Amino acid sequence: MANSARARELLLSARNLVILTGAGVSAASGVPTFRGPGGLWRHFRSEELATPRAFAGDPSLVWEWYHWRRETVRTKLPNGAHLAIARLQSKPPANLLSAVLVTQNVDGIHPLAGSPCIEMHGSLFRTKCTNSRCPGSSKATEDRRSPIVEALRGRGAPDVEERGPQIPEEELPRCGECGSLTRPAVVWFGENLDPAVMASVQDALQACDLLFVVGTSGLVYPAAGFAEEVQARGGNVVEFNVERTRQDADPSRRGRGAYLFVEGPCEVTVPAVVNAALAR
Ligand code: BJW
Ligand code: ZN
């Protein structure tokens, strides 16, 4: 049986599904992935900019990057994969008791498609205060202004040559409560994920007997460990990707769940599996 037909059978016999998505799910919507073509901004990799150190050293540069990404994503629409996942959540097959979507993406496209989801790495459209004594540092505030501040208008072009003057800190986004610099409410390398968010993710992973892993390179922890965790408990894992990111480490180990790879663009493969399951 082809892997997509086996994936449909697994979906139709599961009780609790978790869907983990990464940047590949939004690729067909026109959002560049981190580690694929278009993943560089100017000459920087995400690992160089998505860090507290990069922001502390050059908040103007890092805000330019986020401003460019906010403006890019604003015009993007859900593709077939986002829509199929939303359909699965709103009209699950009778066997499914739960379908929890956990995304590493900060682009807000799953919510736009109507999906309830756990955004484990935060959102491009929320900010928080950098002053740890301010209440605004522990709660994210939605901010969809375009541009977020006047000083960023026309800035952030991804071309390598582009290099305007640094924007003075006073002109970058500021906290409404204390006036300090704000930052994007996203999780940078070396930062802990929100404990409440991680608790909900862990609850869903503990309960699940099937994990769909869609469009993620599986390089960044903690999400990179989820498939192993589910399989080790006997749950099944189906990966949807244009390229295989992992091997089934030890398929012969007793009690270990199956690992299935559905190769191809997820905007095609995910709707194929979901539609076939919902048509039954
Ligand atoms: C398609 C497709 C199509 C394309 N169809 N597929 C254990 C071991 C080693 C290191 C660590 C560890 N635990 C923690 C760490 C440190 C670190 C880490 O993981 N480092 C690794 C690089 C080794 N993790 C952290 O720091 C995390 N914090 C943490 O764990 O705290 C505790 C701790 C700290 C330090 C040490 C130990 C413990 C926080 C990680 C935060 C990641 N943040 C970012 C930025 C978010 C904000 C922003 O966007 O600006 O999150 S980095 C970036 O990577 C972003 C993404 O969510 C994340 C994952 O990327 P993703 O989604 O997988 O994208 P790509 O581009 O990598 O892959 C796209 C995939 O799609 C590819 O596979 C394509 O083939 C595929 N594709 N088109 C289907 N049409
Ligand atoms: Zn503040």
Side-chain angles (χ1 to χ4, degrees), residues 5-225:
R6 289 176 63 203
R8 182 197 62 179
E9 294 311 313
L10 289 176
L11 181 55
L12 285 172
S13 55
R15 293 179 73 73
N16 295 292
L17 170 71
V18 172
I19 306 156
L20 169 70
T21 64
V25 81
S26 296
S29 297
V31 182
T33 61
F34 288 93
R35 295 164 186 88
L40 288 185
W41 179 81
R42 299 182 184 165
H43 56 274
F44 298 102
R45 290 178 293 113
S46 62
E47 288 85 348
E48 296 175 271
L49 292 173
T51 71
R53 194 187 160 103
F55 187 72
D58 196 343
S60 168
L61 179 79
V62 175
W63 258 120
E64 274 199 77
W65 183 48
Y66 280 97
H67 163 66
W68 174 72
R69 291 172 62 202
R70 283 165 59 99
E71 298 307 312
T72 304
V73 156
R74 201 181 283 285
T75 59
K76 307 301 184 234
L77 295 172
N79 64 53
H82 297 104
L83 296 173
I85 292 167
R87 204 156 52 242
L88 188 57
Q89 289 180 289
S90 65
K91 289 194 174 58
N95 56 291
L96 268 193
L97 301 176
S98 67
V100 178
L101 172 60
V102 179
T103 188
Q104 298 169 85
N105 298 346
V106 295
D107 58 24
I109 303 184
H110 280 304
L112 193 61
S115 274
C117 75
I118 302 175
E119 294 176 304
M120 59 182 286
H121 290 165
S123 164
L124 288 175
F125 297 101
R126 293 195 287 270
T127 60
K128 60 183 183 183
C129 183
T130 56
N131 172 3
S132 58
R133 289 187 302 276
C134 173
S137 65
S138 48
K139 65 174 194 314
T141 307
E142 181 158 315
D143 191 335
R144 294 192 164 266
R145 286 175 297 165
S146 170
I148 187 165
V149 287
E150 266 317 300
L152 283 164
R153 189 182 292 281
R155 299 289 297 259
D159 328 18
V160 181
E161 301 78 35
E162 184 72 31
R163 188 159 278 222
Q166 267 202 347
I167 301 168
E169 249 186 66
E170 319 76 75
E171 295 177 31
L172 289 172
R174 314 292 300 185
C175 173
E177 295 194 43
C178 76
S180 301
L181 181 67
T182 60
R183 54 165 279 181
V186 297
V187 184
W188 285 328
F189 283 111
E191 291 186 319
N192 282 315
L193 283 82
D194 181 320
V197 167
M198 274 317 287
S200 331
V201 172
Q202 274 308 327
D203 285 350
L205 287 174
Q206 298 281 328
C208 88
D209 50 1
L210 179 61
L211 173 69
F212 278 2
V213 179
V214 185
T216 172
S217 57
L219 294 173
V220 177
Y221 287 87

